[in-house]
Amino acid sequence: MRCANSIRKALRYPYALTSIALATLLFMAAPASAQINLGTAGNFGVLAGSAVTNTGSSVIGADLGVSPGSAVTGFPPGVVTPPGTIHSADATAAQAQIDLTTAYTTAAAMPTLVNLTGTDLGGLTLTPGVYGFASSAQLTGTLTLDALGNPSAVFVFKMGSTLTTASGSSVKVINGGTSCNVFWQIGSSATFGTTTTFAGNVLALGSITLNTGVNLGGRALARNGAVTLAGNNVSACGVQAICPVISISPAALPGGSVGASYNQTVSASGGVAPYFYSVVGGVLPAGLSLNSATGAITGTLTTAGTFNFTIQGTDANGCPGTRPYVIVVTAVICPAIVLNPASLPGAFIGVPYSQSISATGGVAPYIYAVVSGALPTGLVLNPATGAITGTPTGAGTFNFTIRGTDANGCPGQLSYALTVAIVPVTADIPTLSQWGLIILMMLAALIAMVRLRRI
């Protein structure tokens, strides 16, 4: 009687019957009958058929390849960590594609044990087995894969068309399982939403797109299409990257002020030269640029503020190291720039003239210029030294203002009046020694006259 009542209740609430059936199927899911052999494709973290493109600081923990296409862009700033290397349309990538096709075909031929068509993978806990979707599959939230304590447990997911994950979604393998034994056979393309944390080997007939911040504990293997990366970490299971610690120096960078030139160099050590430098987080102060080959940060600061950024140095083997920096740029507060002398001596027509203007109170060097009025005809101002030189050609009083500007663009100025006169004509005036000789001669003449009178 109680059994009959339970059946009547289930029929009255059909959604409950559906849930019971799904739970029963999941519980009864048997492990995949055999491991899927990736062959040489297992050496790759990323493998594409047409092209691999990257933006940002993606890190691939195994080989990266493309075949029959050859385009690989965005490395650097992306890196392939040793012992992984890049294979572009070579024999190694071609063989990996052959092995990928075999693995894909093997997965597609496995009989589906549980049909999840129309079910979002988010929120499910699944045991080892082969799961199928007639068309597309969606992951929103967290999918938990329970290996039931068996380190060899295999999970296979077969999609007739696409796999799409929502931003922030995740796949967790628990109870002794490994992402190496999780396989996603996708009939067309896979798209992973931002910051998704995913596990397993993605075997797609078409393309694979990893949006910003996706972490893949497994492999992205596309048979015919492209693999698109955007600041991702692909840590291919079973492949160990051997990288030394790459250090970036100095520990801190000095600040500056608006309008001032800036020249500092960061350097990497600990790996194999040469290094490639890039900004992988934040932005440099406005007006500055980073030389990717030398690590020099140069330019003229244009905007005040606090600028936070991270510089990555990547060695010849693709091993990266990073260091965060802060540069504080202050607005310029100009000091008083004082010009000397306070006045200029006069000049004469046709007589060479040379006087110097100097500035103090700012940051050398200074630039000098006449900003109003005009120098006397025949005189010029040296903008670097402040020297006024030349030979005046016309008389008169000349009024002008000279400005001195320091290295930070801070100005100071002073007005001058320079009088140019005609050279004066002077009579011949005896000198003191000449006067003495004249007096002696007059005394001698007087003595001679006195002697003549006595005679």
Side-chain angles (χ1 to χ4, degrees), residues 31-37 106-107 110-111 130 152-156 181 183:
S33 59
Q35 174 66 273
I36 298 174
N37 186 3
T106 299
M110 285 184 170
V130 180
S152 299
V154 176
F155 298 82
V156 179
N181 293 337
F183 298 88

Side-chain angles (χ1 to χ4, degrees), residues 394-424:
T397 298
F398 298 84
N399 296 284
F400 53 90
T401 299
I402 292 180
R403 175 180 294 165
T405 305
D406 79 348
N408 289 329
C410 295
Q413 61 188 43
L414 188 61
S415 297
Y416 291 99
L418 178 55
T419 300
V420 179
I422 299 173
V423 176

Side-chain angles (χ1 to χ4, degrees), residues 19-443:
S19 300
I20 293 170
L22 177 59
T24 303
L25 286 172
L26 297 183
F27 179 77
M28 294 174 61
S33 59
Q35 174 66 273
I36 298 174
N37 186 3
L38 292 173
T40 60
N43 297 325
F44 286 79
V46 171
L47 179 64
S50 60
V52 176
T53 61
N54 170 66
T55 56
S57 54
S58 293
V59 178
I60 312 303
D63 286 349
L64 179 149
V66 58
S67 177
S70 60
V72 177
T73 59
F75 290 85
V79 296
V80 177
T81 57
T85 58
I86 294 178
H87 297 275
S88 175
D90 61 9
T92 301
Q95 182 60 53
Q97 278 289 2
I98 293 173
D99 293 342
L100 169 58
T101 300
T102 300
Y104 179 94
T105 304
T106 299
M110 285 184 170
T112 298
L113 300 177
V114 178
N115 188 342
L116 294 178
T117 300
T119 303
D120 193 311
L121 288 166
L124 298 181
T125 296
L126 304 180
T127 56
V130 180
Y131 301 87
F133 293 82
S135 55
S136 62
Q138 175 75 31
L139 170 61
T140 304
T142 300
L143 168 64
T144 303
L145 304 180
D146 188 347
L148 303 176
N150 179 8
S152 299
V154 176
F155 298 82
V156 179
F157 295 88
K158 301 166 34 174
M159 276 123 270
S161 57
T162 61
L163 169 65
T164 305
T165 75
S167 297
S169 297
S170 63
V171 175
K172 296 180 179 179
V173 184
I174 64 173
N175 289 335
T178 171
S179 60
C180 295
N181 293 337
V182 179
F183 298 88
W184 303 83
Q185 179 262 318
I186 302 165
S188 59
S189 300
T191 302
F192 298 91
T194 57
T195 67
T196 291
T197 299
F198 203 77
N201 304 285
V202 181
L203 285 57
L205 181 63
S207 63
I208 300 174
T209 301
L210 279 67
N211 286 301
T212 305
V214 171
N215 289 304
L216 173 59
R219 301 173 176 87
L221 310 175
R223 290 179 57 190
N224 300 325
V227 175
T228 302
L229 306 167
N232 311 120
N233 182 40
V234 180
S235 52
C237 59
V239 179
Q240 295 296 323
I242 304 173
C243 271
V245 176
I246 307 295
S247 300
I248 307 296
S249 297
L253 292 171
S257 57
V258 172
S261 60
Y262 194 90
N263 190 341
Q264 295 291 324
T265 299
V266 298
S267 61
S269 61
V272 178
Y275 295 89
F276 176 87
Y277 300 92
S278 60
V279 177
V280 297
V283 293
L284 293 174
L288 301 189
S289 61
L290 171 66
N291 186 307
S292 61
T294 66
I297 302 173
T298 58
T300 299
L301 297 163
T302 62
T303 306
T306 300
F307 298 85
N308 297 272
F309 55 94
T310 299
I311 289 181
Q312 177 174 287
T314 305
D315 80 347
N317 290 328
C319 294
T322 61
R323 182 183 287 276
Y325 286 107
V326 178
I327 292 180
V328 178
V329 182
T330 59
V332 173
I333 301 176
C334 287
I337 307 296
V338 179
L339 269 60
N340 291 292
S343 60
L344 294 171
F348 296 96
I349 293 176
V351 178
Y353 187 88
S354 179
Q355 292 292 326
S356 288
I357 305 296
S358 63
T360 58
V363 178
Y366 296 87
I367 299 297
Y368 301 90
V370 177
V371 294
S372 66
L375 294 175
T377 305
L379 300 187
V380 295
L381 172 66
N382 187 310
T385 66
I388 300 174
T389 57
T391 301
T393 59
T397 298
F398 298 84
N399 296 284
F400 53 90
T401 299
I402 292 180
R403 175 180 294 165
T405 305
D406 79 348
N408 289 329
C410 295
Q413 61 188 43
L414 188 61
S415 297
Y416 291 99
L418 178 55
T419 300
V420 179
I422 299 173
V423 176
V425 178
T426 57
D428 291 335
I429 300 174
T431 64
L432 181 61
S433 60
Q434 290 174 333
W435 278 114
L437 180 59
I438 292 172
I439 293 172
L440 289 175
M441 292 175 65
M442 291 177 65
L443 288 174

